[in-house]
Amino acid sequence: MIKNGLLLRSAVPVWALAAGAGFLSPLAWATGTVYGLALVLLTGWGLRQSGRGKFGPADWITFSRAVLVGGAAELIADGGHPLWLLVGLVAVALAMDGFDGQVARRTGTASEFGARFDMEVDAFLILLLCIQVSRTLGLWVLAIGLMRYAFVAASWAMPWLTAPLYPSMARKTVAAVQGVVLVVAVSGLLPSALAFAFVVAALASLVWSFGRDTVWLARHRVPTSEPARIVEITRATLRRPHGPAAWRGHNQAA
């Protein structure tokens, strides 16, 4: 028996790669190989960092979504397959989003690792969709997919950006809209002008959401000039909670 289910976590991406060996270009094959290796290594690292020994039921759902996202990455890198195949993969991955959270809550297995894993899969899927849409609408579309990563990079210089955020239905709605709009734009079902307008509106809503949360975090950050005792108390209150809300401040400004 291999610790942390490494054999199973490795076998699934390998099987997916093998299934596509007959019709994928070398670039797509390389993309899938790098993605599969990164998926196995990063999930193993995340489990060790969180102190968990294995995936929970919800984590396997997220992992399945991650494998589908890897398939989408291969198709986008290949660029020679019908759009309906890409749209189908992405639609299933998006439809599965939310199931992992429900399973985690119902089985009492919610964790920081699971919440972060789910968020990273969502973020990478949005970036992939932006890459595909940018081929027809322009490179500016990449701003949607890169905004979350820019937020994380900014938090390295400004740690107060990692503080927990307040619950917000508007934030969740804006995040959900990105995926729907981008999938519709990828499908080609809308005229170019209408698809352009929808993607612009999605980007504008994302800028508003990130901007609003950044301003809120700036107003509620801990002043560094306060006495050490007060700072310590405040840091304790800002310590990340356990469960799905644990990573809100890391990027759920979206």
Side-chain angles (χ1 to χ4, degrees):
M1 182 175 179
I2 298 180
K3 188 178 179 180
N4 296 339
L6 178 60
L7 179 60
L8 183 56
R9 288 190 290 111
S10 302
V12 174
V14 168
W15 178 87
L17 284 169
F23 64 94
L24 291 175
S25 67
L27 177 60
W29 180 260
T31 299
T33 300
V34 172
Y35 178 89
L37 182 61
L39 178 60
V40 172
L41 292 178
L42 289 175
T43 51
W45 177 82
L47 285 172
R48 290 191 298 272
Q49 290 294 111
S50 64
R52 299 179 61 194
K54 60 181 180 179
F55 274 178
D59 299 326
W60 283 113
I61 296 176
T62 307
F63 189 80
S64 300
R65 291 180 57 233
V67 173
L68 292 177
V69 171
E74 290 179 323
L75 292 177
I76 290 173
D78 187 81
H81 296 282
L83 281 178
W84 64 263
L85 186 56
L86 174 60
V87 172
L89 270 179
V90 171
V92 173
L94 287 174
M96 291 173 65
D97 191 19
F99 290 165
D100 41 14
Q102 293 179 23
V103 170
R105 288 188 291 272
R106 291 180 180 180
T107 58
T109 56
S111 66
E112 293 184 11
F113 168 80
R116 180 65 180 273
F117 187 19
D118 180 62
M119 186 176 64
E120 295 297 343
V121 172
D122 290 341
F124 190 68
L125 176 56
I126 293 299
L127 179 58
L128 288 176
L129 291 173
C130 288
I131 292 173
Q132 180 66 22
V133 175
S134 70
R135 293 173 174 173
T136 55
L137 297 185
L139 293 177
W140 63 270
V141 179
L142 295 177
I144 293 176
L146 293 174
M147 198 172 301
R148 184 261 171 182
Y149 296 103
F151 186 87
V152 173
S155 71
W156 298 340
M158 296 174 285
W160 49 269
L161 288 173
T162 64
L165 282 167
Y166 55 94
S168 170
M169 183 56 66
R171 186 186 307 119
K172 293 179 181 179
T173 301
V174 168
V177 163
Q178 308 305 310
V180 174
V181 169
L182 289 170
V183 169
V184 172
V186 166
S187 70
L189 295 175
L190 297 178
S192 296
L194 192 55
F196 181 89
F198 274 112
V199 176
V200 167
L203 175 58
S205 67
L206 193 61
V207 170
W208 168 81
S209 181
F210 270 99
R212 183 188 66 158
D213 287 338
T214 300
V215 169
W216 187 90
L217 288 169
R219 290 176 175 174
H220 293 82
R221 61 179 169 175
V222 179
T224 56
S225 58
E226 288 190 9
R229 179 174 175 274
I230 298 179
V231 172
E232 285 301 316
I233 293 174
T234 309
R235 282 178 180 167
T237 63
L238 289 179
R239 190 171 301 149
R240 284 193 180 93
H242 296 291
W247 295 97
R248 279 184 188 137
H250 203 73
N251 167 36
Q252 295 249 29

